[in-house]
Amino acid sequence: MQKNQILLKFTFGICFLISCLFLSAQPLHHTNQNLPCVNKNYNLLAHVAVDSSGRTPIYSTDELDSMIVKLNDFFSPICVSFTLCEFNIMENDYSLGRVVSEPITKEDQLLELKTRFALRRRINIFFLDYIISEDCGLSNFEGILTTNDAIIYTETDCRDDIAEQVAHHLGHTFGLLNTHDPETIELVDGSNCTTTGDLICDTPADPFGQGISNATAEEQELIAQGLLVTRFSSQDCEFIYEIKDPNGEYYQPDMGNIMSAYPCKCGFTKGQYRLMAETILKSNIRHF
Ligand SMILES: [Zn+2]
C-alpha cells in the first residue's frame, strides 16, 4: 500500500469516527457483533459520463477506488464488499451525462442509458453530471432482487460525496427505505415505528420533508412570527427543526444515517444491516 493510500485511509477513519460520534443520538454500527455475515463481494460496473469541455471522465479511476474503500467500510459489518470491475467511459457524448427532459423524457433517457450500457445480473452505476428533478440521483428499491434493475444513477449536483451517495442508493438496492417518509408521521417514542417512516425501529423518527401543516395551531402562530425554526439542518449538520411530533416531543433523527437526506452520512443501524443482509440472501445477482 502506498503512503498516500495509508494517509487517506487514516484520515477517513478519523473523520468517520468523529462525525458519527457527534451526529448519532442512536449508535450507528461499525462492528459485526450479532449481525449476519453474508460474505459477498459485488463487482460494480461503472459507466462514467464525460465533462463538457475536455471530454474527460467526470471521475477518475483513483476517485472511484477511494469511493470503493469507503463503501467497503460502510458495508463491512455484514461482510459485503465491492470491487470496481469495469470502468466504462461513455465517450465523446457529453449529453449522456446530462439527463434533462428534452428532446425525450427523463425516464426514456435513463432507460436508454440502461439499454445501451448496463449488463444484466450485475450492479451497474451510472456516474452522471445532472438529472432533472432529482436530488442526488436515483435507484430501484430492492433492485438486487431483479435481474436487470440493480441500477444506480448518481449526479455530481449533490451535497453528499460520491461514496455517500452511492452507499445510500446501495441501501435502496438492498431493500432499505429513506429514514424519512413525508407521507407518514413517525412518533418520537417509536410506538408506530413498524408502520411509519422506514418501517425500521432502531432508526429514530425523522421529520425531514414534512410540511408545516402538521404543526399545531400554537406552533403555526410562532412560525408566522418567525419564532420557530422550520429548516431541518444547519450547514454543519446540526438538527435545528423546532416543530414537535403529535405527542409534543422534539424529534432527534440520526443526522449521520446513510438513508437520511442530510448531507452528513456516516453509517447504518443494526436494523438496517439486518434487513439488507436478508434481502441480499434472497437475491441471485452475480457475486464473487
Ligand atoms: Zn433515498
Side-chain angles (χ1 to χ4, degrees), residues 207-243:
F208 184 85
Q210 274 176 24
I212 55 169
S213 57
N214 294 327
T216 60
E218 196 185 333
E219 285 173 330
Q220 302 271 11
E221 184 97 345
L222 292 169
I223 293 165
Q225 293 171 40
L227 297 174
L228 270 195
V229 178
T230 56
R231 280 183 303 119
F232 293 95
S233 66
S234 67
Q235 289 287 357
D236 51 359
C237 287
E238 191 192 344
F239 185 73
I240 53 174
Y241 184 74
E242 290 181 331
I243 298 176

Side-chain angles (χ1 to χ4, degrees), residues 5-286:
Q5 282 178 303
I6 293 168
L7 191 67
L8 181 80
K9 264 193 112 152
F10 182 68
T11 314
F12 168 69
I14 291 195
C15 299
F16 190 78
L17 196 67
I18 290 175
S19 58
C20 280
L21 282 177
F22 279 102
L23 295 172
S24 295
Q26 302 287 314
L28 296 168
H29 288 268
H30 309 296
T31 63
N32 57 9
Q33 279 178 329
N34 306 318
L35 284 172
C37 178
V38 299
N39 202 20
K40 297 214 181 208
N41 179 270
Y42 288 103
N43 281 320
L44 303 181
L45 303 189
H47 310 285
V48 188
V50 293
D51 68 19
S52 61
S53 47
R55 301 286 189 261
T56 51
I58 58 176
Y59 293 99
S60 66
T61 47
D62 278 356
E63 284 171 315
L64 294 195
D65 284 342
S66 303
M67 173 194 79
I68 295 279
V69 170
K70 283 181 83 171
L71 289 179
N72 288 344
D73 212 347
F74 288 147
F75 288 86
S76 64
I78 47 170
C79 317
V80 169
S81 60
F82 304 93
T83 310
L84 194 60
C85 99
E86 200 174 301
F87 184 85
N88 169 34
I89 303 167
M90 301 194 287
E91 278 178 271
N92 289 326
D93 192 352
Y94 171 61
S95 69
L96 292 174
R98 279 194 72 77
V99 179
V100 289
S101 50
E102 293 288 327
I104 55 172
T105 64
K106 170 180 85 176
E107 289 73 22
D108 284 349
Q109 276 190 67
L110 294 174
L111 183 62
E112 189 190 319
L113 289 175
K114 174 176 157 181
T115 335
R116 257 177 88 175
F117 300 105
L119 286 188
R120 290 163 65 85
R121 308 182 70 80
R122 297 293 183 109
I123 299 177
N124 291 264
I125 307 180
F126 287 89
F127 294 89
L128 308 176
D129 188 26
Y130 173 75
I131 307 170
I132 191 163
S133 65
E134 290 298 337
D135 191 16
C136 296
L138 71 162
S139 53
N140 297 303
F141 174 67
E142 291 187 338
I144 200 74
L145 298 181
T146 64
T147 47
N148 61 349
D149 277 331
I151 308 258
I152 292 169
Y153 302 94
T154 69
E155 50 186 325
T156 52
D157 188 22
C158 171
R159 289 192 298 164
D160 297 335
D161 80 20
I162 194 61
E164 292 158 2
Q165 197 183 158
V166 169
H168 180 96
H169 288 296
L170 284 167
H172 286 315
T173 306
F174 295 151
L176 299 185
L177 296 169
N178 292 323
T179 52
H180 63 283
D181 171 18
E183 305 298 312
T184 59
I185 298 183
E186 187 171 355
L187 297 167
V188 172
D189 67 12
S191 55
N192 64 353
C193 63
T194 57
T195 53
T196 54
D198 60 3
L199 316 179
I200 294 178
C201 287
D202 69 353
T203 56
D206 180 358
F208 184 85
Q210 274 176 24
I212 55 169
S213 57
N214 294 327
T216 60
E218 196 185 333
E219 285 173 330
Q220 302 271 11
E221 184 97 345
L222 292 169
I223 293 165
Q225 293 171 40
L227 297 174
L228 270 195
V229 178
T230 56
R231 280 183 303 119
F232 293 95
S233 66
S234 67
Q235 289 287 357
D236 51 359
C237 287
E238 191 192 344
F239 185 73
I240 53 174
Y241 184 74
E242 290 181 331
I243 298 176
K244 296 177 203 156
D245 84 346
N247 291 336
E249 288 193 70
Y250 283 108
Y251 290 99
Q252 276 193 301
D254 266 341
M255 302 297 284
N257 195 296
I258 288 174
M259 298 315 290
S260 76
Y262 309 110
C264 339
K265 298 176 174 58
C266 65
F268 293 104
T269 64
K270 248 179 195 177
Q272 288 175 317
Y273 277 123
R274 281 212 188 89
L275 180 53
M276 287 195 284
E278 274 171 33
T279 315
I280 286 168
L281 290 171
K282 279 192 269 177
S283 85
N284 52 13
I285 289 251
R286 187 182 297 179

